[in-house]
Amino acid sequence: MDGIFTALMVSYDQDGTINEQGLREIIRYNIDVCKVDGLYVNGSTGENFMLSTEEKKEVFRIVKDEVKDQVKLIAQVGSINLNEAIDLAKYATDLGYDALSAVTPFYYKFDFEEIKHYYNSIINSVDNKMIIYSIPFLTGVNMSLDQFAELFENEKIIGVKFTAGDFYLLERMRKKFPSKLIYAGFDEMLLPAAVLGIDGAIGSTYNVNGQRAKQIYELAKQGEIEQAKEIQHVTNDLISEIIENGLYQTIKEILKDKGVNAGFCRQPMKRLSEEKVAIAKDISKKYL
């Protein structure tokens, strides 16, 4: 379960309907062109939190049907509706997903005992493994080293997607939990995370920049830091221009420039102007 995982995008028609053919094309581009090691399905990048339960299941189904066993699959099932999270966990497990993940419950100020109950309830309902999805800047949930230790007492909780800038905590986690999987969640900080000994990374820009991400990760493991640094510089130039133009929309336009039917983002995400679509195409040609 180590390596580079794409936080998978989903193709939507202009009315927000899932475009199955487009989703399959995105999957194929990730596997065949970006050469990623796995896919992280129904995360933020897939616009998951704007989908109904049945739509989330449809995405899980299409992805598994297209991928079969070509790469590893992680199903993000987290929801502040615990019953939905458990339902999705059972569905993805029955489909044969290699592991589950769940974002920390957000919006309400859940205390740690409630968060612990949430994770244990989900993973103990199925015969599968859990990867915590920690993304404090969006959820407002910051957990300490001791709290992660409590969660990891459940042997079915095998790791964390660490999308935070606290690299002191990352280093402490790596030292304290050598047998747990740690995935870096910030694409722009892949190299420093790799130097600290992560097991892989999960990111949005890997939908188009997966090959460079794999190079950075492998070079860092080999101790080729200067070469990895140069690739990270180029990667961060790309990321900066994508973010400035509109993150998800621009990645989809880059995919379209590569011949992939990546569709549109769901409302209330806005459409790119013609000027920004042109900028996205320029980014595609400049970096990819």
Side-chain angles (χ1 to χ4, degrees), residues 74-248:
I74 301 173
Q76 198 292 124
V77 300
S79 169
I80 58 172
N81 180 334
L82 181 55
N83 290 331
E84 181 192 41
I86 292 172
D87 182 26
L88 292 172
K90 291 177 179 177
Y91 185 80
T93 298
D94 289 343
L95 284 174
Y97 274 70
D98 298 285
L100 306 176
S101 183
V103 68
T104 47
F106 52 90
Y107 187 80
Y108 300 102
K109 300 291 185 181
F110 298 104
D111 64 27
F112 179 69
E113 287 305 312
E114 291 167 329
I115 292 170
K116 184 178 177 181
H117 171 72
Y118 163 88
Y119 280 112
N120 287 333
S121 296
I122 296 170
I123 198 55
N124 290 339
S125 72
V126 292
D127 182 16
N128 210 327
K129 303 174 289 289
M130 170 64 70
I131 296 161
I132 297 162
Y133 180 12
S134 178
I135 183 166
F137 81 102
L138 288 181
T139 61
V141 179
N142 285 282
M143 290 189 293
S144 68
L145 191 66
D146 288 342
Q147 289 173 331
F148 277 110
E150 274 197 56
L151 294 176
F152 288 151
E153 286 174 3
N154 186 331
E155 293 182 356
K156 297 172 77 174
I157 300 179
I158 62 168
V160 57
K161 179 188 177 190
F162 189 87
T163 309
D166 186 349
F167 274 35
Y168 174 64
L169 177 58
L170 175 60
E171 182 274 334
R172 294 286 84 189
M173 289 180 69
R174 178 70 295 164
K175 183 175 186 295
K176 187 167 184 175
F177 311 116
S179 65
K180 298 296 183 180
L181 295 170
I182 300 178
Y183 298 100
F186 276 136
D187 307 11
E188 62 271 30
M189 295 192 289
L190 173 56
L191 176 55
V195 169
L196 289 173
I198 56 171
D199 299 286
I202 301 168
S204 306
T205 62
Y206 306 156
N207 281 278
V208 293
N209 198 48
Q211 288 194 31
R212 283 198 188 98
K214 289 196 72 172
Q215 290 172 344
I216 293 166
Y217 179 61
E218 293 299 330
L219 287 167
K221 287 201 298 182
Q222 296 161 17
E224 300 290 342
I225 303 304
E226 287 304 316
Q227 191 176 347
K229 192 187 301 180
E230 290 306 312
I231 300 171
Q232 186 74 68
H233 287 327
V234 176
T235 289
N236 285 3
D237 288 341
L238 167 64
I239 291 172
S240 294
E241 292 192 31
I242 287 175
I243 291 174
E244 185 176 351
N245 199 56
L247 177 59
Y248 300 137

Side-chain angles (χ1 to χ4, degrees), residues 61-77:
R61 177 191 62 78
I62 294 168
V63 174
K64 181 60 179 177
D65 181 68
E66 182 64 36
V67 172
K68 304 293 192 297
D69 297 315
Q70 292 176 272
V71 298
K72 296 294 185 181
L73 293 176
I74 301 173
Q76 198 292 124
V77 300

Side-chain angles (χ1 to χ4, degrees), residues 6-12 22-24 26-27 30 39-47 59 63 203-205 207-208 246-253 255 262 265:
T6 295
L8 188 68
M9 297 209 120
V10 175
S11 177
Y12 299 101
L23 174 53
R24 290 180 185 271
I26 295 173
I27 295 165
N30 270 284
L39 302 174
Y40 186 87
V41 185
N42 271 337
S44 311
T45 308
E47 301 164 58
V59 172
V63 174
S204 306
T205 62
N207 281 278
V208 293
L247 177 59
Y248 300 137
Q249 297 94 329
T250 300
I251 294 174
K252 287 190 174 184
E253 290 300 328
L255 285 167
C265 289

